Amino acid sequence: MSESHEQTPQELAAEAARVIAELSGIEKHDIALTLGSGWGKAATAIGEIVSEIPAEQVPGFHAAAVVGHGGKLTSIRMPDGRHALVIGARTHFYEGRGVRAVVHGVRTAAAAGATTMVLTNGAGGVNPNYSPGQPVLISDHINLTASSPIEGANFVDLTDLYSSKLRDLARTVDPTLDEGVYVQFTGPHYETPAEVRYAGIIGGDIVGMSTALEAIAARQAGMQVLGFSLITNAAAGISETPLSHAEVIEAGREAEPKLASLLSQIVPLLP
Ligand code: HPA
């Protein structure tokens, strides 16, 4: 490598994947999951924990920025012998580390061998049919971050980004699962009621601050994506109540056992 060579995001992800393989003793991970607010308990429900790696020991990762968001990478042996990698150290766009940092977990998962990426989050409900505590499948997204994780003239197709096959698989476990369009805002402030109305008018059902950029990077890396939002609250202006981070965390905590059970049944079915 010449001294002037700048490491690409993919090279950094490959380095991270090598460190994960070394520290976990697991050469290849088959499935990866990013578990957002409310989804954390699923890690222990999908199999046996082989190894928990503090995020800061892995190149390109940072300690968690938000209380209630984990800070480790967990390697899990599933009952069928495959391995899942749980990325418990999500970097959000609002942290200001740049979009490369936001999608580093997804790229690392791909470099670790994962071909299926499960992206989950806690989010606000725009669709009035949703209630707090309800998990919703993500059917598509609208990216309002004015950013992309893809650099250069690389025109990646995003048709069926949130795999309809994987959504069908999820509905074999719970046929009542609703689905909706996720709108990613940058945050960290919650949306104004006018922004929430706008999100609904342009076709959104869910508002949040993650996932869309990660899904794009997952597709670029050739992975299939399954996306889930836990509706932690009615989005601003949908209900009269002002939003609070504490409320979001509490709704997540209450829903955790249900979400863990749901994912523990769906993940084994994933390719
Ligand atoms: N908006 C954006 N992000 C969120 C929300 C919300 O209402 N709830 C949880 N994350």
Side-chain angles (χ1 to χ4, degrees):
M1 201 191 292
S2 78
E3 270 181 53
S4 62
H5 176 84
E6 205 188 307
Q7 193 179 38
T8 66
Q10 283 74 15
E11 285 166 349
L12 180 61
E15 198 182 312
R18 275 194 297 276
V19 170
I20 291 167
E22 200 178 293
L23 295 179
S24 67
I26 305 302
E27 214 33 61
K28 177 182 182 289
H29 287 84
D30 304 284
I31 293 175
L33 302 96
T34 297
L35 301 177
S37 302
W39 297 90
K41 266 217 168 65
T44 48
I46 61 179
E48 172 205 342
I49 295 181
V50 177
S51 169
E52 290 185 311
I53 305 168
E56 52 292 1
Q57 287 182 14
V58 183
F61 284 88
H62 307 275
V66 183
V67 178
H69 294 177
K72 57 194 181 200
L73 303 166
T74 307
S75 178
I76 294 171
R77 183 173 298 112
M78 293 161 54
D80 67 2
R82 294 186 297 163
H83 288 87
L85 181 66
V86 174
I87 316 277
R90 179 178 251 156
T91 296
H92 288 84
F93 194 68
Y94 55 69
E95 290 172 52
R97 297 182 195 273
V99 70
R100 283 187 178 186
V102 171
V103 301
H104 178 60
V106 166
R107 287 186 171 140
T108 297
T115 51
T116 301
M117 186 75 226
V118 182
L119 296 171
T120 68
N121 58 58
V126 178
N127 188 322
N129 297 326
Y130 300 161
S131 325
Q134 180 182 348
V136 176
L137 283 163
I138 301 175
S139 58
D140 203 347
H141 78 222
I142 297 172
N143 170 13
L144 294 186
T145 66
S147 187
S148 170
I150 301 175
E151 300 172 31
N154 187 354
F155 306 105
V156 173
D157 172 54
L158 299 183
T159 311
D160 200 36
L161 177 55
Y162 300 87
S163 164
S164 47
K165 272 206 189 106
L166 299 191
R167 278 182 274 141
D168 286 344
L169 263 181
R171 278 187 291 256
T172 64
V173 170
D174 181 356
T176 70
L177 278 171
D178 214 335
E179 64 178 34
V181 174
Y182 182 90
V183 184
Q184 181 175 359
F185 285 83
T186 61
H189 50 273
Y190 292 113
E191 301 73 29
T192 63
E195 287 166 344
V196 169
R197 280 197 302 279
Y198 163 73
I201 289 166
I202 63 175
D205 298 292
I206 309 160
V207 287
M209 305 177 194
S210 67
T211 303
L213 294 169
E214 295 158 50
I216 296 168
R219 165 56 61 88
Q220 181 191 21
M223 290 192 276
Q224 297 196 70
V225 178
L226 177 65
F228 269 111
S229 288
L230 166 70
I231 305 301
T232 55
N233 56 280
I238 299 290
S239 98
E240 300 288 296
T241 334
L243 272 56
S244 80
H245 181 59
E247 173 203 19
V248 168
I249 296 295
E250 183 49 33
R253 202 165 284 141
E254 268 174 36
E256 267 190 328
K258 181 175 72 184
L259 301 181
S261 159
L262 181 68
L263 275 194
S264 73
Q265 294 172 75
I266 292 172
V267 171
L269 305 178
L270 297 175

